[in-house]
Amino acid sequence: MGAGGVVGQAYHAGVLAALERELRWDPRTAEVIVGSSAGSVTGAALRLGVAASDLAARATGAPLSPAGAAFFAAIEGADEALPMPSPSDLLRGWRLPPPALLARAARRPWTLRAASTASALLPAGRYDLRQRTQVLDSLGRGWPQGLWICAARRNDGRRVVFGRPGSPTPRLSDAVAASCAIPSYFAPVTIGGHQYVDGGVHSPTNADVLTHAGLDLVIVVSPMSAAHGTSRRPDAAMRWSAHRRLDAEIRRLRSQGTTVVRFEPSASTLAVMGINPMADDRSAAVVEAARHDAAAHATCDRSMRRLAPLLVPHPHAA
C-alpha cells in the first residue's frame, strides 16, 4: 500500500473494502503487508485487527463493527485534522549535503533518487507525528507479525524496511511516524541514532521490497499514480512518474514468478481525489469512488476472478 496522505488512506480503504466484499477476502489475512507513508497507517490498522470494511465505514460515517468501534474509540483525537503546511516551512534551515549522501553519490551515483536526495537537504518539519502515533503501541503486543514499513534514512536517502527480517524493528508508533514524515512538513523521526523521513521519497509504492519474498500473489494499491499513467490534472507529471516506477517494480516481481494485481485511480476517481493529498474533506467521496473502481475491476476482469482461489484465509487472521 503506497503513499498518498489523508486522501491516499481513503483510497486504500475503498479498494480494500471492495476486495473484502466482492471477493470475500479479508486483507488482514495477507501473509505480508507493506506500507509506505499513508500505507503504513492503513497497514498498521489492518495488523491491529481493523477490518477493511471498518476503515471505509469510518471515512463514510457508516456503522462500525464492535471491534472497529472499539479501535477508533481508543485512538480518538489521534486522527483529527492535521495542521496545513506553510510555504515558509521551505524557507528556513536548508542543510548542506550530508557526508553520507556525498559518499554514496561518489560510489554509486546511479542509486540516488531525486526525492530522497532532496529530503536530505530540505529543512526539518516542525510537527512531530509521534504525538498522534504513540497510541498504536498500546493497542498491540510488540511488532505485528508480517508488517513491513518503509522509510528513508535522511542522511543518505537509503530505504529501510522496518519489520523485515534483518532490518530494525522499532516501536510501531515510531516506524509509522517515520514512514509518514513528509520532508519540511513533519519532523524526522530518530530511530537507532538515525533520522528517518517519508518512505514515499524513495518510491510511492515500494512494491519491489517483496521481489524475493516468494509470494504467489501481490496486490498493489497505489494512490499516487494514475491508471495507465494518464491524467489531465495539474499533478499529471507526478502521477505518470509514480506509474512508471510502479511498472518497473512490478516487472521485478513478475520476473520471480509472482502474480501482481495493481489498483490505481481512474480519471473519475482522480477528479474526486483532487490535488491536495492532505485534504480531509473528501474522504467519504474518495472511498466510494475507489470502491466503485475496484469492485468493477474485481468482478469484471477475468484475471481477477481466476485469482480469487489464491485469496484464502491465513492462519493468523484476526
Side-chain angles (χ1 to χ4, degrees):
M1 290 177 291
V6 175
V7 173
Q9 290 180 46
Y11 183 78
H12 289 144
V15 171
L16 297 176
L19 292 176
E20 182 183 86
R21 182 174 63 187
E22 303 298 336
L23 298 181
R24 298 184 179 180
W25 174 65
D26 187 343
R28 294 174 295 181
T29 67
E31 183 174 344
V32 181
I33 295 177
V34 177
S36 301
S37 197
S40 74
V41 177
T42 305
L46 291 172
R47 279 297 191 243
L48 290 172
V50 183
S53 52
D54 278 327
L55 293 174
R58 173 68 171 181
T60 61
L64 296 163
S65 72
F71 175 85
F72 288 112
I75 66 167
E76 185 177 2
D79 59 348
E80 293 177 352
L82 291 163
M84 294 304 296
S86 167
S88 64
D89 293 337
L90 292 172
L91 301 177
R92 53 173 183 77
W94 281 72
R95 309 167 76 211
L96 293 173
L101 182 66
L102 293 174
R104 183 181 176 193
R107 290 195 305 266
R108 304 181 69 191
W110 59 90
T111 66
L112 294 176
R113 298 188 176 186
S116 58
T117 300
S119 71
L121 309 178
L122 286 167
R126 301 180 183 182
Y127 188 82
D128 189 346
L129 274 175
R130 287 175 297 181
Q131 299 172 21
R132 291 169 174 267
T133 62
Q134 61 186 359
V135 67
L136 297 174
D137 297 327
S138 65
L139 298 175
R141 297 180 179 177
W143 189 270
Q145 179 182 355
L147 176 64
W148 296 2
I149 291 179
C150 301
R153 203 159 54 198
R154 190 182 183 209
N155 270 358
D156 59 10
R158 291 186 182 276
R159 176 175 63 193
V160 175
V161 185
F162 297 121
R164 182 169 65 176
S167 297
T169 303
R171 293 187 302 179
L172 180 59
S173 60
D174 288 346
V176 171
S179 186
C180 295
I182 300 171
S184 81
Y185 181 16
F186 297 125
V189 176
T190 300
I191 296 173
H194 295 283
Q195 288 189 332
Y196 293 92
V197 295
D198 197 309
V201 305
H202 180 87
S203 163
T205 44
N206 289 297
D208 58 326
V209 302
L210 293 168
T211 300
H212 300 291
L215 300 174
D216 300 307
L217 169 66
V218 170
I219 297 172
V220 184
V221 185
S222 176
M224 288 188 67
S225 58
H228 313 297
T230 58
S231 170
R232 295 184 177 181
R233 302 189 62 76
D235 57 356
M238 179 274 291
R239 292 192 175 277
W240 175 83
S241 176
H243 175 85
R244 290 294 301 272
R245 189 173 296 282
L246 179 55
D247 276 345
E249 293 173 356
I250 287 175
R251 284 195 297 270
R252 292 188 63 187
L253 287 165
R254 288 175 174 165
S255 73
Q256 301 296 311
T258 300
T259 298
V260 183
V261 174
R262 70 168 84 189
F263 289 90
E264 299 173 281
S266 66
S268 59
T269 298
L270 289 175
V272 176
M273 294 172 75
I275 62 172
N276 176 13
M278 303 307 293
D280 61 357
D281 61 349
R282 60 195 64 186
S283 292
V286 172
V287 165
E288 294 301 343
R291 184 154 45 190
H292 179 270
D293 276 357
H297 184 34
T299 57
C300 299
D301 189 302
R302 191 173 299 174
S303 64
M304 280 297 295
R305 291 200 298 271
R306 288 199 301 268
L307 291 174
L310 293 176
L311 300 173
V312 296
H314 191 278
H316 71 251

